[in-house]
Amino acid sequence: MKDRFEIILDTETTVEVDKTQYVADFGAVVANLATGEIIDEIGVLISGQFDRLDLWSDVRAPAGEFWSVQNERARRKQYLKRIENGSRSIASASLVNIWLAKNAGKYNPIATAYNKQYDWPKCDNTGINLSVFGRSYCLLKAARAELTKDADYVAWCQERGFMTKHPKPRPQMNADCVARYFLGDSLPPEPHTALEDARDYELAIATALYQRGALPFGEG
């Protein structure tokens, strides 16, 4: 297959301040979907955001759930452990921009995120410049367009109870569910840390859709 370079990014965000959210945790991988090779990756906690604001949480979530307000402190502690063990560092948005510009110039990758409409504005609020990528698309929209017409995926979701709670239930399309379909039921839930979500889940979805010919921009 023809080379297709993509940058797949993910963010974890802060609470709202004056109706604005910022990126607390930024992660991205540059990969060639044709070969499966990961060329470069980054995972950093954004200085001035992670160390200034609480992580986003859902005030409606029950206390025992991952996104609950009560679990925000535990999530932050996990990030601090990553700083201690060297798997995360605190860096400025400017450093992220240098990394992005370097890879944009070298590979001209197509940019995507599993929910582009969520991640792009948060990056803009934080001063992370994604305009260096001339082509971009929403990976969630690509997955939905391909899998809602896939009878095997619909049946797979029905068998496992992965259906929406609408009056007319439809297959779930969250990254956890879609990645598990492509990688197998043994895949653990997403950790909801930006680099790991992008590298270990969303890259697999992009690769599988590319192999199906189901991504925008042809073969890149």
Side-chain angles (χ1 to χ4, degrees):
M1 299 180 75
K2 186 177 179 181
D3 285 344
R4 176 170 172 130
F5 296 103
E6 288 205 1
I7 178 167
I8 301 166
L9 65 93
D10 194 277
T11 67
E12 300 299 329
T13 56
T14 69
V15 294
E16 287 190 1
V17 178
D18 296 327
K19 297 183 179 181
T20 303
Q21 286 178 274
Y22 301 90
V23 176
D25 177 18
F26 180 89
V29 293
V30 178
N32 184 349
L33 300 190
T35 64
E37 176 189 9
I38 294 177
I39 298 165
D40 203 357
E41 65 180 45
I42 187 173
V44 294
L45 303 170
I46 303 300
S47 175
Q49 309 304 338
F50 174 79
D51 45 0
R52 177 175 70 99
L53 298 170
D54 288 342
L55 301 172
W56 180 86
S57 55
D58 187 349
V59 296
R60 301 164 298 178
E65 291 190 0
F66 182 86
W67 295 114
S68 68
V69 174
Q70 294 81 358
N71 195 45
E72 191 274 342
R73 184 175 296 181
R75 291 164 55 210
R76 181 170 291 276
K77 284 183 178 178
Q78 290 301 313
Y79 277 121
L80 295 177
K81 287 181 180 179
R82 289 176 181 272
I83 294 173
E84 291 174 2
N85 66 29
S87 63
R88 278 295 189 284
S89 60
I90 295 181
S92 67
S94 295
L95 183 144
V96 173
N97 288 336
I98 292 170
W99 185 89
L100 294 172
K102 177 192 72 172
N103 282 292
K106 193 169 184 180
Y107 300 105
N108 189 28
I110 301 166
T112 190
Y114 200 71
N115 188 349
K116 179 186 174 184
Q117 283 67 28
Y118 182 86
D119 292 302
W120 251 243
K122 310 306 184 293
C123 287
D124 187 52
N125 294 342
T126 311
I128 295 172
N129 181 21
L130 301 180
S131 68
V132 294
F133 303 107
R135 297 171 295 172
S136 64
Y137 71 97
C138 179
L139 187 55
L140 171 59
K141 287 185 177 180
R144 182 180 291 121
E146 174 67 11
L147 296 177
T148 51
K149 62 186 181 185
D150 182 336
D152 289 339
Y153 180 69
V154 175
W156 183 86
C157 288
Q158 290 172 334
E159 289 169 2
R160 290 158 179 78
F162 297 156
M163 303 294 288
T164 65
K165 296 181 180 179
H166 294 89
K168 294 183 179 180
R170 293 171 290 182
Q172 293 182 8
M173 288 293 165
N174 59 68
D176 263 331
C177 185
V178 176
R180 184 183 293 185
Y181 176 67
F182 289 126
L183 294 177
D185 283 321
S186 62
L187 185 70
E190 277 188 303
H192 296 299
T193 50
L195 172 58
E196 290 73 19
D197 287 1
R199 182 188 63 204
D200 302 333
Y201 296 78
E202 291 143 20
L203 173 57
I205 296 170
T207 301
L209 293 178
Y210 174 67
Q211 291 170 349
R212 290 176 170 226
L215 293 181
F217 306 111
E219 293 189 353

